[in-house]
Amino acid sequence: MSAQKVRWVSAFSFLLFCASSVPTWGSARLLRELSPHDYFSSLQAGRASLAYFSHDASPGAQPFLEQIENSVEALQDYGISVVKVQCPKEDVSRYCGEENALRKAYLFRGNMLMREFPTDALFDVDAVVANVLFALLFNEVKYVETLADLQNIENAVKGRSNIVFAYVPATGTAEHRAVMEAAFVYGTVHQFVLTTEATLLKDTGNDKPDVSSARLLFCHCQRATDLAQPCRRTAMGQALTLLNIHRHLKLMGAPLVTEVAEDPEKVSTVHLQLGLPLVFILSQKETYEADRRTAEFVAWQLLGKAGVALLSRDLVDLNVLLRSNVALKTPDEGVPIKYLALEDTDEVITLVEDKSKVEQIQEGEEEEEEEEKENNNQDVQDDQVVEAVSRDKKRELPLEQILALTEETFHSALLEAARTVVLFYASWEAVSLAVLRSYTEVADHLKGTRGVSLSRVNCWDWPGVCTKENVTQFPTIKIYEKGERSVVYDGMWATEELTSFIMLSRVSCPLKLATIDEAEGYLRGEFPSELSSYHHTSLLGVFSTATSEAREAFEEAGSILSGHVTMGMYFEDDALALSRKYAVSPPALLLARSGGQSVEGIALSKQSAQDMVQMIRYELLDIFPEITVQNLPRYLQLRKPFLILFSDGDISQMESEEMLKLAKGRPQRAFVACWLNVRKTPVGRGVLKTYFATVPSLPVLLWVNLHAGGQVFKFPPEQSITEANILSWLEKLKAGLEVPSSTLSEEDWKPPLPAYDFLQMMETAELPLHTSHRHGDTPAQHPPENPGGDVTIQETKAEKVGSPGRDLRGTAPRLAAREKQGKRHSEL
Amino acid sequence: LGLALYASGLCVVSGTAFLYHDYCVIGAGPSGLQVAYFLQQASRDYIVFERSHAPGSFFALYPRHRKLISINKQYTGKSNSEFNLRHDWNSLLSHDHRLLFRHYSRDFFPNADTMVHYLEDFASLLKLRIQYNTAIIHVTLERDRQAWNGHYFLLTDQDRQNYKCSSLLVATGTWVPNVVNFPGSEYVEGYETVSIKPEDFAGQTVLILGRGNSAFETAENILGVTNFIHMVSRSRVRLSWATHYVGDLRAINNGLLDTYQLKSLDGLLEGDLEDLAIVKDKKGKLHITLRFYLENRNTSAGIDSITLPQDELDNFATRAPYDRVIRCLGWKFDFSIYNRSLKLMPGKGNKKKYPQIKPSYESRGTRGLFVLGTASHSVDFRKSAGGFIHGFRYTTRAVHRLLENRHHGVPWPSTIYPITQLTNSIIKRVNEASGLYQMFSVLADIILLRENATAFEYLEEYPVGVLAELEVQTGRKAPNGLFVVILEYGRNFSGADKDVFYYNRAVGEAQHAWQSNFLHPVIYYYKHLPTEREMRLRPPDWPLPHPDAIHHIVEDFLTDWTAPNAHILPLRRFLENCLSTDLRNFFAESCFLFAFTRQKLPPFCRQGYMRMQGLLGSQGLRHHAAEAGLLEDHTLTDLLGDRPPDSHEGSQDQLLRDHVIPVRPLQHLVNAKDE
């Protein structure tokens, strides 16, 4: 018996291909006609055969014979031979003799009679095949009549195998045949259960079973551990055909969730092969367990409709938005994988069940998101500066070093010190307060510095002073020179920069140098002594007495750059000596970078002060700078692409030299060659994460088209950073031979969250009154469900009652309620 | 032309000598002095005519009992001089700090003599050009196409001296007492002359006609010595704390309400004064009857034949005879001096005591004639403070600014700011501006947006009634939309019969701000300047037409709208959504990240960091921001290696959404479903 089964199973794949699609195959007469003797002697053990007996002329059996003849081929596929036994006229043996026997067909296995079929049970090919297989597979296919029978079977196989439960309205139908044919193949794998009792269908959990159509359920009993619980069932959605059943069983047999660690484009599973979509749940290390549960949940929901795979992002370099959490791969070729950010599992299921809804979900999701935010996040502070300041407000600032000025004391205070730095701020304004914090640090640095006094004016208290001093924005810092001019600070709001500005502006700009020695000392950074501790580039204008025009422009430029740059000028008679030393002819500019180790000379022509300012600013830029938060804007102003080396710590001598060579080789600054130390500028990691999702191994050299297109290219990490390599890489870039690793987002800065729509609330409340006054062009703002308007009002009123404003008694619960919402309200 | 005329100063037209000035101001009361100050500051050719020998002659007589009901607050707990003007109802506007009323009186309700003294000082310290003892008795027009307004104003004084002006500013106030004529009205004493000595009323029964502050002030004065006082008026009493209108009965005067409602001693009656009649009996007692009875009687018969109401209705309320009847019916504008050609018409209904003017304070009938001060109150009668010093000092300034633009090409003063200052500018103004506060719903700040919303222009205290004419009236352009910042009370909150103390009257949550009842800032957004038609068709009770969006800043108990989350945050969201941009502040580090990772930067980074004015912020602040999950701390990530999961969740923020690892677990939904 078991050997026979094995044979049957092995025959299956062949069968599948031919069973339905190639039925006419080998239609040579397979129906053997034998005499009773021949027949009975030909019967082999284990072989099944269907035989009918006939006399020459028995016209009544004619249609029945036709059906038998037609099913010969089908039965042949299952190794069942069909034999027509010609009864001799005189034969009155058991099968030939009886009148009734001639109206029956007999199924033998070996020479054992298994079953006799009345001819009316074999009304067509389906019936013949179904009934014959049903008779043969009595072990594999249990017929049940009651629920109890079914449950008994379930309990018996729980933990061991699964059940394929089929309901057919009647035996002998095409569906019945399909089930039997499937059982022929899968009978050893799954327990098949068949019923024709519609009540069983009802009891198996179908709410509204259509008793006229056959159904097939896959009962997952193998996984069932709890004997008290019925097995999970998955109904087959399609019509009961052999192919569909095969497909269904194949799907049920596939792993619930496939773990994937390769490019999803390359992944293929049973589902895709069977024309079903595959859903990827994108996971990462941190959330793996949760994602796995999610995947399983989704998989159960989608069983038979789509496959579910769990894709670990950590293992695969995905070039998709990080917020995407689901991907959908369809079996259609050439359709790219769709990456989505879905909010709940229902969306995943909808996604599969109705593909047309995908777009809607995406749109709807955004709306929903907004709504949700309207409810939850709108009143949560999302301004980092405001939030930081309000979290810091309980800390008392060390303001002792900073004089608070009033309308009355302002003018007299300015006269007291040589230089008075005044911070104009508003005590309610966050940026002002952030700057005030840095200002206290400046005060700390400058403690004891002679001739500089630090003070502040709160414009919320003294608006008159601020208006008079032409302060229109908060914060503003002005440096007043005793009884003279004032300079507005226009640098970074940072301790270091402001301190340096204050210190540098103590020295007049440009500083008139009296002797050659002073000039030399100045270039070495030793003179004037108060600046010697500040590392800076010194600029020295050298003028002959004749070049007053250039000198005036230089002086004007100096007043513009005061505080940012140290500028000196020398125009004594022996200026020529100085210019000869540095091989320039006056008017000229000498540039001493970092303590006079190298002095560059630049000829000055007839430039306006503004041009000179531009030129000086340009000259002060480094050739291969280390980019920091503070200095980036200066280099961005060149509006050139960046060739930037991200490094963890200092860059190596070799890299530095190669990059410098590269930068120096292009005099026109076609790009900004620079480097970034992620230890010093940790936000550099943030930049890299945005480009590559994770921080790649450092150092990494990138070409960033900051101002045109925004493409980011990554220098091949396997190549060493040499001028030649970089140059040839850049050539390839220009030729368009490289693929960008990332592209800077072009997204606009839209409002982070919606505002309260008071207009709509007011309109809803006033709707009956002012309908006629409304603009014609804003109909979209009116809710279509006008009758619902009243409800809204009541609701808001009710809410209002629940949120007493001035009533102190209500305060505690109100605050408590807020706590519950988990919002950040540092305000009471 | 103006210069030429100014130079000549005196011109001769058809044989009559005219003294010429660009601006003639009639009346040296508070509003006359106030506009004189602005004209003087702008070096304009002007003259103020005052019929008395000193400024503020109205205050020399009124109020009769000498107590001003405008508050003079010494202390507010704030040093902000602009803010403090909100609680200083007597000072005029000037640059001179000496001219603040608190330096003149320490009384919360100062004496009227102090006001006279103050106005004298104001005129003299500021050297305003006032021609005293000059009563203008006639004003007419002279057509001249060359003139600013197509005509000159010709003024004649009591000495037949003529004056010629291009623009006429009427600051005469309302000084003509309202009288009613009914049979027996000759027995009625007027508020302007009645004795103010309580002893003159000892043991008397007094009937007061009228129900305004002068009537109650009179009653208050004699309440203690009279038998009883009755007050008659057509309308019910309106309490200023219920109506939010300072012209209604102020609490300081309402002692009579106390005695009436407590012990029925004194009383209020409603009735039309026109229907009254007063008859005097032989003992000199005054009886109230109805005009109706008098009309029917035999003219020759004596007092006895007159039917009194109590003859038919024996419990008639005012059946008791009175010793005195006092009329306290207020004042009206003196229309008599204007030639018909000026078409200076009285207003309609309860505004008939005021001349008809446009919301720009210009006469409806005559171009170039502006009405200032109390007489201009028709614009906001029973609504705002335009009839009182603390209101019209601002509307007068607004008129002056309109004139500067119209005649001298000086556009309305404005400041241009980068868009990053938008929230701040509004917060600053709504917290300190006194003009917006006093002239709520009448004067508004206008924010004109520049192209692409990168900058805006801020105009202060523009009369919203002429919003549609903004471009013409101010010389500023509004092609890219505008915000209107205004202060309002809650609609339907104020009113004579409203309970303003009901439980839960105040809104505390920003999301219900539109239901705020107390004075609170409201910001209207228009994509286009409203047209005149839209202004006309605006909903009743709305100061402005239907906007494209509106924002209410929730009312505040301290009128301090600087709370970061309740006030500033919702305002920022509103502005962001109107402009479709992101107005948040960012630390330099965030701007740095954006500069490297995005092709566009938010305005704060664009206008600050990129111009090398980035906000680096102290270490501590950046740490706070990181804790709040609004700034990613890249150092921290690195040091800790694998962070605890909850801190990870904490850093999920909208700000850097695209840059943090998104953890969007679906499992909580799964769990919910399993249950």
Side-chain angles (χ1 to χ4, degrees), chain A residues 54-161:
Chain A
S54 84
H55 293 278
D56 277 334
S58 50
Q62 209 51 48
F64 151 69
L65 291 179
E66 267 174 39
Q67 295 309 323
I68 296 258
E69 280 175 28
N70 288 343
S71 47
V72 168
E73 212 175 295
L75 290 172
Q76 185 77 22
D77 294 336
Y78 298 98
I80 301 162
S81 52
V82 181
V83 181
K84 182 179 173 185
V85 182
Q86 284 290 359
C87 288
K89 270 187 184 159
E90 67 281 11
D91 195 340
V92 288
S93 65
R94 185 181 164 205
Y95 298 105
C96 289
E98 285 175 52
E99 184 60 24
N100 277 345
L102 295 174
R103 301 215 165 272
K104 283 179 180 161
Y106 298 90
L107 180 67
F108 292 90
R109 176 175 287 158
N111 52 11
M112 199 168 71
L113 174 64
M114 303 262 329
R115 185 87 174 266
E116 46 178 84
F117 300 104
T119 47
D120 56 350
L122 308 176
F123 46 86
D124 65 2
V125 178
D126 289 333
V128 173
V129 177
N131 282 313
V132 167
L133 289 178
F134 197 14
L136 287 173
L137 297 173
F138 61 91
N139 257 333
E140 287 81 1
V141 182
K142 304 261 190 224
Y143 184 82
V144 294
E145 281 182 330
T146 65
L147 195 62
D149 293 344
L150 180 61
Q151 276 165 355
N152 287 338
I153 296 169
E154 269 198 12
N155 287 337
V157 301
K158 258 181 197 166
R160 292 193 286 117
S161 67

Side-chain angles (χ1 to χ4, degrees), chain B residues 221-242:
Chain B
N221 186 44
I222 57 174
L223 202 55
V225 294
T226 50
N227 298 336
F228 52 82
I229 304 169
H230 286 163
M231 299 179 90
V232 191
S233 157
R234 185 185 309 152
S235 56
R236 55 164 295 165
V237 66
R238 298 164 54 87
L239 301 163
S240 63
W241 49 258

Side-chain angles (χ1 to χ4, degrees), chain A residues 284 287 290 294 297 322-323 343-346 373 378-388 391-392 428-429 431 434-435 437 441 460-463 472-474 489-494 627-630 632-634 636-637 644 676 682-683 685-687 689-691 706 709-710 744-756 758-759 761-763 765-766 770 773-775 781 799-801 803-807 809 814 818 824 827, chain B residues 78-80 415 417-418 421 424 427-428 431-432 491 503-504 506-515 518 534 537 539-540 542 546-548 550-552 555-557 562 564-565 569 572-574 576-577 580-582 584-590 592-602 609-610 612-618 621 624-625 627-628 630-632 634-635 637-638 655 657 659 661-664 666-667 669-670 673-674:
Chain A
Q284 50 212 333
T287 58
T294 305
F297 175 79
L322 279 164
R323 64 190 284 253
E343 288 287 341
D344 71 46
T345 49
D346 279 349
K373 278 169 190 162
Q378 221 168 8
D379 51 353
V380 175
Q381 186 60 258
D382 53 358
D383 182 313
Q384 49 184 233
V385 180
V386 175
E387 182 64 21
R391 279 172 182 240
D392 196 43
W428 50 263
E429 202 264 330
V431 177
V435 169
R437 278 155 178 79
E441 292 173 3
W460 168 225
D461 287 333
W462 309 106
T472 56
Q473 309 187 8
F474 311 124
Y489 176 63
D490 59 355
M492 288 278 169
W493 300 115
I627 289 295
T628 61
V629 171
Q630 284 93 325
L632 174 69
R634 276 189 255 154
L636 283 176
Q637 280 183 346
I644 181 165
L676 186 145
V683 67
R685 283 185 216 277
V687 174
K689 263 192 213 162
T690 313
Y691 291 163
L706 282 175
L744 308 195
S745 157
E746 261 190 295
E747 209 185 320
D748 276 319
W749 286 86
K750 293 289 175 200
L753 288 171
Y756 299 125
F758 289 138
L759 191 61
M761 298 182 203
M762 291 168 80
E763 269 167 0
E766 292 188 21
H770 304 310
H773 296 292
R774 245 182 274 119
H775 277 219
Q781 294 184 327
E799 272 182 78
K800 198 179 154 183
V801 170
S803 59
R806 229 156 260 189
D807 180 9
R809 283 181 296 164
R814 203 170 101 218
R818 282 181 166 179
R824 286 190 298 273
E827 296 297 312
Chain B
K78 291 196 167 75
S79 61
N80 187 317
T415 317
Y417 298 93
Q421 293 290 319
N424 282 351
I427 290 293
K428 175 180 153 67
N431 276 296
E432 70 179 21
R491 304 199 172 119
Y503 193 67
N504 281 330
V507 174
E509 301 283 351
Q511 69 200 71
H512 304 304
W514 67 280
Q515 292 171 306
F518 291 87
E534 285 165 344
L537 294 179
W542 282 60
H546 191 278
D548 290 302
I550 198 167
H551 182 71
H552 290 254
E555 58 188 318
D556 189 82
F557 198 38
T562 58
N565 288 344
L569 176 63
R572 193 196 83 211
R573 296 215 190 285
F574 165 74
E576 282 172 337
N577 281 279
S580 187
T581 187
D582 186 331
R584 285 177 293 179
N585 304 306
F586 294 98
F587 286 113
E589 197 177 296
S590 297
F592 179 93
L593 181 68
F594 300 149
F596 263 115
T597 56
R598 324 231 339 189
Q599 302 203 31
K600 291 170 184 161
L601 292 184
Y609 182 71
M610 293 303 280
M612 284 172 276
Q613 285 234 278
L615 177 69
L616 239 70
S618 65
L621 283 184
H624 279 304
E627 265 185 354
L630 294 169
L631 183 71
E632 213 187 338
H634 299 278
T635 343
T637 320
D638 199 47
L655 168 65
R657 188 167 45 199
H659 310 295
I661 303 165
V663 184
R664 314 195 80 154
L666 297 167
Q667 82 275 10
L669 298 151
V670 177
K673 272 171 195 150
D674 283 349

